[in-house]
Amino acid sequence: MGELASLANVSKRTIDYYTSIGLLRANRSKSNYRIYETEALDDLKFIEDCKKLSLPLDTIRKKLEIKKGRTLDEKLLTQRLDFVYHQMKQLNSDLSDLISVLEKLSQEEKETFYKRLLSESTCLQQSINLLTNRR
């Protein structure tokens, strides 16, 4: 648990809590130590990223289940897609609001922000393409 905490930059207490509520899974050694599979680090990073977005733990649990393919509930998937759609609408609105601010920046500052946005939007587009089976 200590090694996982160090790799993920979280406390042992956080890992213990996530394990106790079922967000993380651990096996037990013969001497009753918790042993986490390598996917636990990815799960932990995913959980922490979701927390940065202020998602509640129940929502994070559902997202993890979908991510791992444990849940194929059509209603849940529809809810998640609706949630993503509304987030994208909000982000688009936020970006539109920022355009006037960006116009006041120097050319160098604009290029820095645009490069960052281009990189993030490319990742988002790739994710959307994967969701819709387009390549």
Side-chain angles (χ1 to χ4, degrees):
M1 184 163 49
E3 184 179 348
L4 179 62
S6 177
L7 288 170
N9 200 26
V10 298
S11 69
K12 290 180 189 179
R13 186 174 180 185
T14 297
I15 292 174
D16 186 45
Y17 178 67
Y18 291 161
T19 303
S20 71
I21 63 171
L23 284 177
L24 290 176
R25 297 175 193 229
N27 297 316
R28 292 283 181 172
S29 69
K30 290 180 182 178
S31 53
N32 208 28
Y33 288 105
R34 289 186 206 156
I35 300 172
Y36 293 90
E37 300 292 327
T38 51
E39 74 176 13
L41 180 58
D42 291 334
D43 291 347
L44 192 50
K45 288 178 180 178
F46 181 80
I47 293 165
E48 291 301 304
D49 287 344
C50 289
K51 281 181 52 185
K52 288 176 187 171
L53 297 172
S54 302
L55 296 177
L57 291 176
D58 190 48
T59 300
I60 294 171
R61 178 188 325 280
K62 291 173 183 174
K63 287 176 67 81
L64 265 174
E65 288 174 359
I66 291 170
K67 180 179 176 265
K68 293 177 172 248
R70 292 186 187 134
T71 301
L72 294 175
D73 182 329
E74 188 174 328
K75 181 180 176 185
L76 180 61
L77 288 172
T78 301
Q79 289 173 346
R80 297 300 308 142
L81 286 172
D82 287 345
F83 178 75
V84 168
Y85 171 76
H86 291 293
Q87 282 183 315
M88 289 171 53
K89 276 184 73 171
Q90 183 60 50
L91 288 172
N92 192 41
S93 174
D94 291 347
L95 284 171
S96 294
D97 293 343
L98 289 173
I99 288 174
S100 62
V101 175
L102 289 173
E103 292 302 320
K104 296 175 184 174
L105 299 176
S106 71
Q107 189 61 33
E108 185 178 321
E109 291 170 321
K110 284 180 190 177
E111 287 177 18
T112 300
F113 282 105
Y114 289 138
K115 284 179 185 176
R116 185 172 175 197
L117 285 172
L118 180 62
S119 171
E120 293 300 319
S121 60
T122 300
C123 290
L124 178 59
Q125 184 63 48
Q126 288 173 346
S127 296
I128 291 169
N129 288 342
L130 285 172
L131 277 173
T132 59
N133 292 321
R134 296 180 188 154
R135 290 186 169 59

